[in-house]
Amino acid sequence: MMRQRLQTISATWRRGLASMTARRTRAIFFPGQGIERPGMLTPLAAACPSVVEQGIETLTSALAHERTELLPAGTAGVDTLVELLLDDAAEPGSDAAQQREALMHRTALAQPAILLSSILTLRCVDALAEGGGEAADGVRQSVVGAEYMLGHSLGQITAFVASGALTLADGLRIVRTRGLAMEAAVGDTDYSAAAGTTTRYGMLAIPVRGGAVVDEIVARVKDMTAAGDLLAPDEIVDVANVNSPAQVVLAGHVSGLEKVAAALRIRRTTRLPVRIPFHSRVLRSVEQRMRDAVAVAAVAYPAQAALVGNYSAAELHSTAAVRENIVCGCWLPVEWLRSVRFLAEERGVAEWTGIGPGSAVTAALVRASAGAGETQIRAVDPLERGESSLWSAVAGR
């Protein structure tokens, strides 16, 4: 029964691939932070053990320069990261499992974990295709034929690696520095913020309903925060992500977020479980560390595919632009809605493939943002383990 189901999924994929050859305008996208969990590499290790082994070797070599005794107190090193990536054996719901999850959510671990897992998903697809996997070969053809690559937040750097603009080793060093710098900026190494926990910084998701236009919500927030009569002089609130026509995310001081939410009079806003206000001016202090990290990285451009920047929502045209997007992307907003619409409406992208753990979540944002035209949106997400997942067909499981 399982084999028949996988054959059906594979056949459906091949029919979809055949139907899109006339259009051929394709984009590959990668997920951002928030989807990390212990054992992220276990599905990949089961399907492609040699690919994962080589990836772990690259990770340990890339971060071998770190001296544990010089890391901030409470910061886990690369050995801990490797253990978390490969081991999800803790009993679900147990204290040990909760502790491991909390550790995995630490930004300095989560960011290299997500980048590595996404790139190894891509490499695993290639290896399975080489081994004769039909569904894997269909995905590989989409990737090889893709004209554009982009990623959500951290996923932007993954896209740079996938396109060949950065090496995997340089990408891992950059995101490790990025995570450490962000933790230092807010004085907190704990990414998670459980309900009821008091934190100084945070993020707030604003639903856009009832015909309200996203641009109007964004304009209202900017007007409120610029006026000077709502926030205290030391409070920062910025628009962090414009994710879709139905969601805007704010970031900054929790006290300021509460004031803006009350002023907007929008019901059912949601505090995200984070302590770091990603994509806000609070993180402007990471600039020098990020410029130093990027300066020693080799950047190649033009890349395998055209790259779309998060905050410009437009194509990048130089190595300088790639470097600047890595640095400034820490505190400038993720214009995901504009990025997807730019590709769909101005570049004619109609085929979208998400790669990596959590890409199914990002696919939902693409689906909500791509507009009413005919599109095909799929995700090769190793964390999706059901019979109907594309990963199951690709891995032959």
Side-chain angles (χ1 to χ4, degrees):
M1 178 67 74
M2 174 69 80
R3 183 176 294 276
Q4 290 176 343
R5 179 61 176 156
L6 293 177
Q7 288 173 343
T8 300
I9 295 170
S10 180
T12 301
W13 169 262
R14 292 197 306 275
R15 286 195 298 271
L17 181 65
S19 70
M20 68 187 181
T21 54
R23 293 190 293 266
R24 298 193 61 82
T25 309
R26 306 170 186 170
I28 308 299
F29 59 90
F30 298 91
Q33 193 170 342
I35 50 81
E36 62 279 349
R37 67 179 69 171
M40 285 173 66
L41 287 185
T42 53
L44 293 169
C48 306
S50 61
V51 168
V52 171
E53 182 179 353
Q54 292 169 11
I56 293 297
E57 288 177 1
T58 301
L59 173 67
T60 54
S61 175
L63 302 187
H65 67 286
E66 286 190 347
R67 293 179 57 185
T68 306
E69 68 271 17
L70 298 181
L71 293 174
T75 301
V78 66
D79 291 343
T80 300
L81 175 55
V82 171
E83 180 187 350
L84 287 169
L85 282 167
L86 294 173
D87 180 18
D88 61 352
E91 183 69 26
S94 66
D95 289 345
Q98 292 176 12
Q99 290 171 2
R100 293 175 71 78
E101 266 193 51
L103 187 58
M104 191 79 230
H105 284 315
R106 290 191 175 185
T107 296
L109 293 180
Q111 296 197 7
I114 294 164
L115 186 148
L116 179 65
S117 299
S118 296
I119 294 300
L120 294 190
T121 301
L122 200 58
R123 293 181 177 180
C124 187
V125 166
D126 190 60
L128 292 169
E130 286 293 321
E134 293 184 0
D137 188 57
V139 174
R140 180 170 66 171
Q141 289 183 45
S142 284
V143 172
V144 171
E147 288 86 359
Y148 299 95
M149 288 190 182
L150 70 165
H152 190 283
S153 187
L154 167 72
Q156 173 179 244
I157 302 175
T158 309
F160 294 165
V161 173
S163 70
L166 286 174
T167 66
L168 176 56
D170 277 340
L172 288 168
R173 282 188 284 267
I174 286 170
V175 297
R176 174 64 167 174
T177 298
R178 189 178 189 262
L180 289 169
M182 288 178 169
E183 290 179 352
V186 300
D188 196 331
T189 58
D190 186 0
Y191 168 82
S192 62
T197 303
T198 300
T199 63
R200 185 179 182 191
Y201 305 105
M203 300 183 77
L204 186 74
I206 306 290
V208 182
R209 299 189 180 99
V213 178
V214 166
D215 289 346
E216 293 178 3
I217 299 295
V218 170
R220 286 177 63 192
V221 171
K222 291 181 176 179
D223 288 345
M224 288 177 186
T225 57
D229 54 359
L230 179 64
L231 302 180
D234 60 347
E235 288 177 329
I236 290 174
V237 172
D238 288 322
V239 174
N241 306 339
V242 183
N243 281 333
S244 74
Q247 189 190 68
V248 174
V249 178
L250 310 182
H253 291 85
V254 169
S255 55
L257 292 172
E258 291 171 348
K259 294 174 184 177
V260 172
L264 285 172
R265 297 181 180 179
I266 294 177
R267 295 181 180 180
R268 298 182 181 177
T269 59
T270 304
R271 270 283 302 280
L272 302 184
V274 300
R275 296 175 183 267
I276 296 177
F278 302 104
H279 305 290
S280 77
R281 286 168 292 157
V282 174
L283 297 182
R284 188 64 191 262
S285 62
V286 309
E287 179 174 3
Q288 193 55 55
R289 287 185 68 175
M290 289 303 300
R291 291 199 183 281
D292 291 343
V294 170
V296 296
V299 179
Y301 208 82
Q304 171 185 320
L307 299 168
V308 175
N310 270 179
Y311 63 82
S312 65
E315 292 174 44
L316 307 180
H317 294 290
S318 66
T319 57
V322 171
R323 293 179 190 277
E324 199 66 11
N325 269 260
I326 294 172
V327 175
C328 298
C330 296
W331 65 84
L332 290 178
V334 176
E335 295 283 359
W336 190 251
L337 172 60
R338 284 178 52 214
S339 296
V340 173
R341 285 189 172 170
F342 164 73
L343 289 177
E345 297 173 4
E346 297 187 33
R347 295 296 182 264
V349 171
E351 318 298 336
W352 305 77
T353 304
I355 299 290
S359 57
V361 176
T362 313
L365 298 179
V366 174
R367 192 169 290 109
S369 303
E374 183 181 351
T375 59
Q376 293 188 6
I377 302 167
R378 60 189 64 81
V380 184
D381 186 341
L383 298 183
E384 282 202 319
R385 301 184 182 183
E387 288 184 27
S388 61
S389 76
L390 180 54
W391 168 254
S392 295
V394 166
R397 283 170 164 69

